[in-house]
């Protein structure tokens, strides 16, 4: 079977800023070699399609190092293939005032699709979906869950069908009160590329995401979802508008913002077992209430990369010149802690 892949670069983010001078001349890293991934044989046999979102560093030599899976369609095989692939890529290094530097926060989305395969929803799948939906309407949650798991095992699922299945899983998780799984499912349903779900369903999923991200105190992600929702035709954000206003007021207040964290607690990807990721809204952070073994704390910013030991009694102040940052905390699975965003000075 022949196969094809396409790569959609979500974000090519800037190089490290060695100095704070706004007059510095920066040039982004330019790809010179980006080969397509090998299609995993296990997924090929099933005719399975999927996607992986990665974040990685481009070194001064133009090599890709330290790729991190940020999200995926749920296939460990695709995640492994994507990581292996980006490590082979090469770039012309980023430049600051003519000198090569690291580009510390580069994001890419790799979609795995079979040549000639459908991307939408087939009649067979529509019947399967309707059967699960009817089971849910009857309140038979266990039966619907079993039917959904069987549906995920169907051969030849398209990217569009995966989106609909993840929307169903989000619905079931919501009924079961599994907020974490519901959020993962919502994110995956919305992340499938293309216009595979109607605006009404997309609006509902985005509304749910905003609420869940706020409950998890992922304020940056909540605001992103809110902005996307406002762009959907016919979307009603009137009930969310005052909540979003409160988020902005809270972030701008002098109150510390704390979020509970667990290494390996994120089920959005199979390879997240040894890390925890977060995007802060403020420029100063600290770690408290560590229970378990933590490794390094890594800041992946638009203009800088910083690595330190993850420990208590230390406050990390992130210079504004570093741009938007993501926090990655490494450690042993099951270790817990609290990340606190300190008020801006």
């Amino acid at each position: 079977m022949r196969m094809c892949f396409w790569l959609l670069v979500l974000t090519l983010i800037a190089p490290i800023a060695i100095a704070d001078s706004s007059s510095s001349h920066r040039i982004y890293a330019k790809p010179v070699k980006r080969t397509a991934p090998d299609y995993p044989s296990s997924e090929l046999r099933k005719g399975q399609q999927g996607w992986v979102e990665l974040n990685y560093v481009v070194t001064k030599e133009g090599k890709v190092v330290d790729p991190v899976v940020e999200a995926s369609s749920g296939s460990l095989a695709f995640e492994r293939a994507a990581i292996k692939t980006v490590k082979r890529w090469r770039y012309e290094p980023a430049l600051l005032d003519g000198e090569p530097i690291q580009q510390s926060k580069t994001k890419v989305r790799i979609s795995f699709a079979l040549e000639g395969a459908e991307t939408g929803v087939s009649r067979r799948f529509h019947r399967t979906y309707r059967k699960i939906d009817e089971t849910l309407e009857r309140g038979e949650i266990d039966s619907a869950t079993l039917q959904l798991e069987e549906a995920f095992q169907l051969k030849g699922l398209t990217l569009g069908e995966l989106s609909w299945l993840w929307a169903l899983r989000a619905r079931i998780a919501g009924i079961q009160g599994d907020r974490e799984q519901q959020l993962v499912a919502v994110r995956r349903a919305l992340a499938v590329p293309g216009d595979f779900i109607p605006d009404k369903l997309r609006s509902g999923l985005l509304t749910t995401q905003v609420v869940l991200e706020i409950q998890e105190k992922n304020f940056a992600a909540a605001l992103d979802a809110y902005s996307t929702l406002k762009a959907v035709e016919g979307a009603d954000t009137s009930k969310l508008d005052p909540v979003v206003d409160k988020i902005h007021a809270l972030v701008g207040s002098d109150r510390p913002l704390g979020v509970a964290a667990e290494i390996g607690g994120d089920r959005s990807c199979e390879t997240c077992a040894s890390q925890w990721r977060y995007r802060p809204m403020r420029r100063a952070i600290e770690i408290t209430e560590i229970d378990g073994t933590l490794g390094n704390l890594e800041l992946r910013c638009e203009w800088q990369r910083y690595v330190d030991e993850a420990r208590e009694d230390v406050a990390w102040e992130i210079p504004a010149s570093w741009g938007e940052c993501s926090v990655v905390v490494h450690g042993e699975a099951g270790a817990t802690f609290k990340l606190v965003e300190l008020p801006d000075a």
Side-chain angles (χ1 to χ4, degrees), residues 54-116:
L54 296 161
N55 183 318
Y56 53 85
V57 176
V58 178
T59 69
K60 296 179 181 180
E61 295 73 33
K63 297 180 179 180
V64 172
V65 298
D66 299 333
V68 173
V69 175
E70 294 202 330
S72 80
S73 56
S75 166
L76 178 59
F78 284 147
E79 291 177 18
R80 288 172 174 169
I83 290 173
K84 183 178 180 180
T85 296
V86 298
K87 286 182 176 180
R88 297 197 299 259
W89 291 359
R90 293 295 180 268
Y91 286 77
E92 290 182 8
L95 301 176
L96 176 66
D97 294 333
E99 295 295 324
I101 58 172
Q102 282 189 338
Q103 181 167 294
S104 59
K105 188 179 179 184
T106 308
K107 297 181 71 173
V108 70
R109 179 194 186 94
I110 298 179
S111 293
F112 293 80
L114 297 171
E115 184 177 10

Side-chain angles (χ1 to χ4, degrees), residues 230-247:
K230 288 183 72 71
V232 177
E233 185 175 355
D236 180 9
T237 64
S238 58
K239 293 182 178 180
L240 293 176
D241 293 342
V243 179
V244 170
D245 290 340
K246 289 181 179 179
I247 292 177

Side-chain angles (χ1 to χ4, degrees), residues 35-309:
T35 56
D38 295 325
Y39 216 102
S41 58
S42 60
E43 307 306 283
L44 181 60
R45 285 193 296 270
K46 296 184 292 185
Q48 187 72 11
Q49 303 183 70
W51 51 270
V52 180
E53 291 180 1
L54 296 161
N55 183 318
Y56 53 85
V57 176
V58 178
T59 69
K60 296 179 181 180
E61 295 73 33
K63 297 180 179 180
V64 172
V65 298
D66 299 333
V68 173
V69 175
E70 294 202 330
S72 80
S73 56
S75 166
L76 178 59
F78 284 147
E79 291 177 18
R80 288 172 174 169
I83 290 173
K84 183 178 180 180
T85 296
V86 298
K87 286 182 176 180
R88 297 197 299 259
W89 291 359
R90 293 295 180 268
Y91 286 77
E92 290 182 8
L95 301 176
L96 176 66
D97 294 333
E99 295 295 324
I101 58 172
Q102 282 189 338
Q103 181 167 294
S104 59
K105 188 179 179 184
T106 308
K107 297 181 71 173
V108 70
R109 179 194 186 94
I110 298 179
S111 293
F112 293 80
L114 297 171
E115 184 177 10
E118 296 293 331
T119 57
V121 176
S122 68
R123 290 183 178 179
R124 179 200 66 167
F125 178 83
H126 181 72
R127 291 193 295 269
T128 299
Y129 181 92
R130 186 171 58 186
K131 181 180 178 181
I132 301 173
D133 180 68
E134 290 172 350
T135 303
L136 276 175
E137 290 295 325
R138 294 194 299 270
E140 300 172 8
I141 308 303
D142 291 342
S143 295
T145 301
L146 179 60
Q147 292 172 358
L148 180 60
E149 293 307 315
E150 292 174 348
F152 268 111
Q153 300 306 313
L154 292 173
K155 290 185 177 182
L157 286 173
T158 69
L159 295 176
E161 290 166 351
L162 282 171
S163 182
W164 281 92
L165 288 182
W166 282 114
L168 273 176
R169 176 161 290 180
R171 182 177 166 190
I172 291 175
I175 294 172
Q176 295 173 328
D178 188 342
R179 193 167 66 190
E180 181 186 349
Q181 183 59 69
Q182 185 182 16
L183 181 54
V184 170
V186 166
R187 288 171 178 170
R188 286 178 173 170
L190 290 167
V192 173
D195 188 19
F196 296 128
I197 54 178
D199 285 345
K200 183 178 180 180
L201 177 58
R202 185 174 299 278
S203 294
L205 288 167
L206 284 167
T207 300
T208 301
Q209 183 182 3
V210 173
V211 173
L212 291 173
E213 300 284 13
I214 291 174
Q215 290 174 344
E216 294 296 314
K217 299 185 179 180
N218 296 325
F219 295 139
L223 295 178
D224 285 347
Y226 174 76
S227 296
T228 303
L229 175 61
K230 288 183 72 71
V232 177
E233 185 175 355
D236 180 9
T237 64
S238 58
K239 293 182 178 180
L240 293 176
D241 293 342
V243 179
V244 170
D245 290 340
K246 289 181 179 179
I247 292 177
H248 287 297
L250 180 60
V251 172
S253 73
D254 57 1
R255 293 174 53 188
L257 305 177
V259 56
E262 178 184 355
I263 301 294
D266 185 356
R267 288 183 274 176
S268 64
C269 70
E270 296 290 340
T271 58
C272 296
S274 62
Q275 62 186 241
W276 177 81
R277 304 180 311 281
Y278 180 72
R279 182 150 55 97
M281 297 284 290
R282 291 175 173 171
R283 310 305 301 183
I285 61 172
E286 66 178 6
I287 289 178
T288 65
E289 303 178 22
I290 297 175
D291 184 6
T293 302
L294 299 184
N296 287 334
L297 176 145
E298 181 182 1
L299 296 174
R300 292 195 178 193
C301 305
E302 292 178 282
W303 302 97
Q304 181 64 282
R305 185 191 188 198
Y306 176 86
V307 180
D308 196 2
E309 178 186 354

